[in-house]
Amino acid sequence: MENQQTPVKAGLNAGLILGIVSVVLTFLIYFISPESLASFSTGMVILAIFLGALIFLGIQYRKSIGGFMDFGTGFKFAFIALIIAGLIGIVGNFLLYNVVDPELPGVLVEAQLETTMAMMERFGAADAMTPEQIDEIRNGAASNFTLVGQLKGFGFALIFYGIVALIVAAIIKKRDKSLDY
């Protein structure tokens, strides 16, 4: 019998690939335009690339195990890949924010604050903001760039990863219809 990869091992490999791609994209965007890292549209583009790559890797894994995969196997594969990629992303972000450019978190906080204030102005709520509330928003955004903030964010991201893994598993699963009676 052929030696098949387990969903855990395949997920680890896929997570390693996705994590490295994520870090490379982040650094590439940083070198092109650091403020873009705080952009919602940039985040959506990266998410779309990430999701497409995860689905592609999942289909490749399914092909490598005989062309069929149940939902549970697909979920394990995707969830493990997302966890590993997320951990690698935290390491990459930590290096970016603390080694490569320690001033970057301040730039990103200000960019996020400007975006938040512009959105609040569109809803007519910006005038109601006190300087203390603005400082609170700024401090909250700044805390997201610390290692503790990144780890906290990863904890919340696990819920998102679970939902994404469910969606990806539904896309990459394939039932062997020849087994139906």
Side-chain angles (χ1 to χ4, degrees):
M1 183 173 170
E2 178 181 317
N3 187 11
Q4 293 183 349
Q5 271 190 328
T6 66
V8 173
K9 186 167 193 249
L12 287 171
N13 291 337
L16 186 62
I17 292 167
L18 292 173
I20 291 170
V21 167
S22 171
V23 170
V24 167
L25 277 175
T26 301
F27 274 80
L28 191 63
I29 292 167
Y30 164 73
F31 289 123
I32 293 171
S33 171
E35 293 82 15
S36 295
L37 289 172
S39 166
F40 179 76
S41 57
T42 301
M44 290 295 102
V45 169
I46 290 174
L47 181 63
I49 291 169
F50 205 73
L51 206 61
L54 182 60
I55 291 168
F56 174 79
L57 292 169
I59 291 170
Q60 294 301 330
Y61 172 59
R62 182 184 72 203
K63 288 178 182 175
S64 78
I65 60 171
F68 301 103
M69 179 180 356
D70 64 15
F71 182 83
T73 302
F75 177 77
K76 279 184 216 169
F77 164 82
F79 193 59
I80 289 169
L82 288 168
I83 289 172
I84 298 303
L87 290 171
I88 292 170
I90 287 174
V91 171
N93 287 340
F94 179 78
L95 290 173
L96 181 60
Y97 301 148
N98 294 290
V99 177
V100 176
D101 189 354
E103 302 299 317
L104 181 62
V107 172
L108 295 178
V109 165
E110 290 307 315
Q112 285 178 349
L113 186 60
E114 285 177 26
T115 303
T116 302
M117 294 307 289
M119 186 180 0
M120 293 181 85
E121 279 180 21
R122 279 183 284 192
F123 291 116
D127 295 336
M129 295 288 294
T130 65
E132 292 81 24
Q133 290 172 319
I134 294 171
D135 286 341
E136 190 176 318
I137 292 171
R138 181 179 283 118
N139 292 337
S143 71
N144 292 333
F145 295 103
T146 65
L147 182 59
V148 172
Q150 293 273 311
L151 291 174
K152 233 190 268 189
F154 181 72
F156 290 115
L158 286 174
I159 297 166
F160 177 71
Y161 293 164
I163 294 167
V164 170
L166 289 170
I167 294 168
V168 169
I171 293 170
I172 64 175
K173 73 175 175 60
K174 187 173 183 183
R175 194 170 49 109
D176 186 358
K177 293 179 182 166
S178 70
L179 299 176
D180 292 346
Y181 303 135

